[in-house]
Amino acid sequence: MHLQQMSELKRGHGHAAIRSRAMPFRALTVTASLRRSLRCLHLSFCSFSLSKPQFSANCHDFLPWLERKADSAVSSSLFIGKSSYGRSLFASKTIQTGDCILKVPYRVQITADNLPPEIKSLIGEEVGDIAKLAIVILIEKKMGQGSEWHPYISRLPQQGEQHNTVFWNESELELIRPSSVYQETIDHKSQIEKDFLTIKRVFESFHLSFEDFTFKDFMHACTLVGSRAWGSTKGLALIPFADFLNHDGLSEAIVMSDDDKQCSEIIADRDYAPGEQVLIRYGKFSNATLLLDFGFSIPYNIYDQVKVQFDVPKHDPLHDMKLELLQRNIVPHPEDMEDLTYPANTFSIKEVKSDRGKGKGLPQSLRALARVLSCTTSQELDDLVEEATQNDGRLARRPLKDISKEIEAHLMLLSVFIQLIEERNAIIMSLGSCHSPLLCERLAVRRIMAQDLLHGELRILKSASAWLENYCVSLT
């Protein structure tokens, strides 16, 4: 059996962060008992706000339609309803851990193969799967009730209902300027526009009309795909019914694909009572990813991280020598970058669980970079190269022999983190000082998302700063 865990790959472009109020730093270890406590808190909130799920009146015929189209049962355990999250899936009967709660055959999933053959041949590899699936959505939507997918397409979120950061205006984006997701949003919107123009040119070169679809339509379709599609052996796939499930970062239930059975399925990771909302994990996503790709945040996200970028100062007399050394020797580990689209001098900082441990969460490659930047003579750089040659070949991975230099290197990192903390604190304070009842619902939601993001990144930075302070003290 070839089972592929797909929701770990559920990542389009348009998707997450944390709210932990500004408090003194406390080391926090996500132990099994803490995870249980967080889940209890999460579930108690869900049971309070969702104790009486509302049946979604316009969706009562959706599952029967899908099962007829699939010519097989999809789920006897779930029904569509409404919650504070919007359209959701609830347990229609008692569900036990290990039960298969949903099984969607590949034949009723939408992939790039659903593009009309003539359009598929025209586009070729000009754009990626997200753009191709977006075109499928636009074409099927234009067909209205004449589309075989109308019951599904018509129930997707409409324009104006999404909060992905690509839809934020300039003043709203200013709320998240300190975070890397600010630039990611600009870059992503630019990529969507590039894909749109590419598709439009292809259509026009073959005298076909793409005029019925605006850039706004295309961006909306792209974010629908980015926030709802799962990765598979065939590329991205929209999985009707499964994409009504909401996200719980602590859940162990994920979407899996079975190429032998030609279906995607979900196995319950815990017991559910009838009427209880069923949740899965889209992936181990930070709030930055959730904001960008999914358009929501969660109050406390254990997967939060902060991306920081370091450059050799232009005025450094050893600029060229250091730059050459760093480019040749210090490349962040893939786990420290997560996305190869980031430049090689970008590092992902995760929460440092203990301010007196080994600093796990603070990339070793970043500390090595700081040691290189602290060098003031070419001889010091040559010594680092010689030391690396005599050991495991990795540059500046060991503490500098000159204790004062080692402290200086880590104080440099600390000063950068303190500046990043101050930037986030300033915006958080401005957000907290405005509680106007006149705020429109859209802005109110996005302010909360910004707070979740910044509080989460603040927690990460404070944990790293506390460790750096203790490390420097320990050396004295």
Side-chain angles (χ1 to χ4, degrees):
M1 181 181 294
H2 305 293
L3 284 179
Q4 180 185 1
Q5 297 182 353
M6 295 189 349
S7 67
E8 296 299 294
L9 303 176
K10 181 175 179 179
R11 172 130 192 226
H13 294 281
H15 314 347
I18 304 166
R19 188 189 312 162
S20 79
R21 299 301 175 194
M23 307 168 89
F25 170 78
R26 291 184 181 179
L28 180 62
T29 303
V30 183
T31 60
S33 109
L34 174 60
R35 189 178 287 273
R36 284 193 297 272
S37 298
L38 287 171
R39 177 170 289 286
C40 287
L41 179 63
H42 176 78
L43 293 179
S44 64
F45 169 78
C46 288
S47 61
F48 169 76
S49 60
L50 310 174
S51 56
K52 293 183 179 180
Q54 299 176 0
F55 284 86
S56 192
N58 66 339
C59 288
H60 68 280
D61 59 344
F62 182 83
L63 185 56
W65 163 80
L66 184 62
E67 292 183 328
R68 286 194 303 272
K69 188 173 181 61
D71 195 26
S72 66
V74 170
S75 177
S76 62
S77 306
L78 304 170
F79 70 87
I80 303 172
K82 289 185 178 180
S83 71
S84 57
Y85 305 127
R87 187 172 287 120
S88 311
L89 293 185
F90 297 85
S92 57
K93 63 182 183 181
T94 299
I95 295 174
Q96 295 184 328
T97 303
D99 287 351
C100 180
I101 58 175
L102 179 152
K103 189 176 292 186
V104 183
Y106 287 175
R107 59 182 172 273
V108 289
Q109 297 181 20
I110 303 176
T111 68
D113 289 339
N114 288 88
L115 274 172
E118 62 276 15
I119 293 180
K120 187 177 180 182
S121 63
L122 289 179
I123 296 175
E125 300 303 316
E126 293 282 335
V127 295
D129 279 354
I130 288 179
K132 290 176 182 177
L133 270 175
I135 297 172
V136 173
I137 289 178
L138 291 173
I139 292 173
E140 297 295 335
K141 188 174 182 180
K142 183 183 178 183
M143 293 173 65
Q145 294 187 5
S147 166
E148 64 171 311
W149 296 103
H150 176 71
Y152 173 66
I153 300 295
S154 63
R155 288 173 172 86
L156 294 175
Q158 302 300 305
Q159 288 190 28
E161 295 180 350
Q162 296 169 289
H163 293 286
N164 309 59
T165 50
V166 292
F167 296 116
W168 293 25
N169 60 36
E170 289 185 15
S171 62
E172 290 167 341
L173 282 175
E174 282 299 313
L175 302 177
I176 58 173
R177 180 180 276 276
S179 174
S180 62
V181 76
Y182 174 85
Q183 187 59 48
E184 290 168 36
T185 298
I186 295 171
D187 294 342
H188 179 53
K189 192 169 183 178
S190 176
Q191 182 60 51
I192 294 175
E193 186 170 10
K194 180 181 177 182
D195 287 345
F196 175 74
L197 293 175
T198 297
I199 294 167
K200 192 172 182 180
R201 279 197 304 271
V202 170
F203 272 61
E204 289 174 347
S205 67
F206 286 88
H207 308 291
L208 297 174
S209 174
F210 197 63
E211 295 301 323
D212 290 336
F213 308 124
T214 66
F215 172 64
K216 189 176 180 180
D217 295 330
F218 182 70
M219 185 163 69
H220 171 243
C222 283
T223 55
L224 285 176
V225 174
S227 62
R228 308 182 82 82
W230 276 270
S232 72
T233 53
K234 293 184 178 181
L236 288 181
L238 288 166
I239 308 178
F241 197 67
D243 60 5
F244 293 157
L245 286 159
N246 288 312
H247 172 70
D248 172 10
L250 300 178
S251 175
E252 295 299 325
I254 58 176
V255 173
M256 299 182 293
S257 64
D258 186 335
D259 288 342
D260 288 341
K261 294 180 181 178
Q262 290 287 290
C263 72
S264 300
E265 60 183 25
I266 298 173
I267 307 298
D269 68 323
R270 66 176 183 85
D271 297 345
Y272 286 93
E276 190 174 358
Q277 183 177 180
V278 177
L279 302 166
I280 64 171
R281 187 181 73 225
Y282 294 170
K284 296 179 179 180
F285 297 136
S286 67
N287 266 344
T289 298
L290 292 180
L291 262 71
L292 179 66
D293 292 341
F294 293 94
F296 68 88
S297 62
I298 53 181
Y300 187 95
N301 191 331
I302 63 174
Y303 301 113
D304 265 334
Q305 54 187 278
V306 178
K307 287 187 173 68
V308 295
Q309 187 172 333
F310 284 84
D311 297 298
V312 180
K314 296 286 187 182
H315 57 77
D316 191 326
L318 300 174
H319 176 275
D320 292 346
M321 187 175 181
K322 288 180 180 179
L323 189 62
E324 189 273 332
L325 267 181
L326 292 172
Q327 290 175 339
R328 193 174 72 228
N329 294 279
I330 298 182
V331 177
H333 189 278
E335 290 183 359
D336 296 333
M337 293 174 64
E338 289 213 335
D339 190 334
L340 295 178
T341 61
Y342 286 98
N345 58 340
T346 299
F347 302 82
S348 292
I349 314 300
K350 299 179 181 179
E351 186 170 11
V352 182
K353 307 300 184 182
S354 170
D355 57 4
R356 298 185 184 279
K358 295 183 178 180
K360 186 177 180 181
L362 198 60
Q364 288 293 326
S365 53
L366 175 58
R367 297 175 63 194
L369 178 144
R371 292 179 180 120
V372 171
L373 294 183
S374 70
C375 292
T376 54
T377 67
S378 58
Q379 184 58 52
E380 290 176 344
L381 292 173
D382 290 338
D383 290 344
L384 287 179
V385 173
E386 179 63 25
E387 181 185 59
T389 302
Q390 293 176 358
N391 293 288
D392 60 5
R394 296 186 300 172
L395 184 71
R397 292 303 180 99
R398 294 168 178 252
L400 296 173
K401 294 176 181 177
D402 184 336
I403 300 300
S404 63
K405 283 284 187 182
E406 177 74 357
I407 292 175
E408 180 186 337
H410 287 77
L411 286 179
M412 179 191 68
L413 290 180
L414 180 59
S415 68
V416 171
F417 290 170
I418 289 174
Q419 180 181 347
L420 295 177
I421 287 171
E422 290 174 349
E423 290 172 355
R424 285 158 177 77
N425 268 330
I427 292 184
I428 288 172
M429 288 181 66
S430 69
L431 286 169
S433 63
C434 182
H435 300 285
S436 171
L438 298 178
L439 285 177
C440 69
E441 181 181 353
R442 185 198 72 188
L443 179 56
V445 168
R446 293 175 184 181
R447 287 170 68 91
I448 291 173
M449 290 168 63
Q451 286 179 316
D452 286 347
L453 171 73
L454 297 176
H455 276 293
E457 294 192 351
L458 197 58
R459 190 186 77 247
I460 305 303
L461 291 167
K462 285 185 175 182
S463 74
S465 297
W467 185 86
L468 287 168
E469 287 181 11
N470 280 326
Y471 179 72
C472 292
V473 170
S474 72
L475 294 179
T476 60

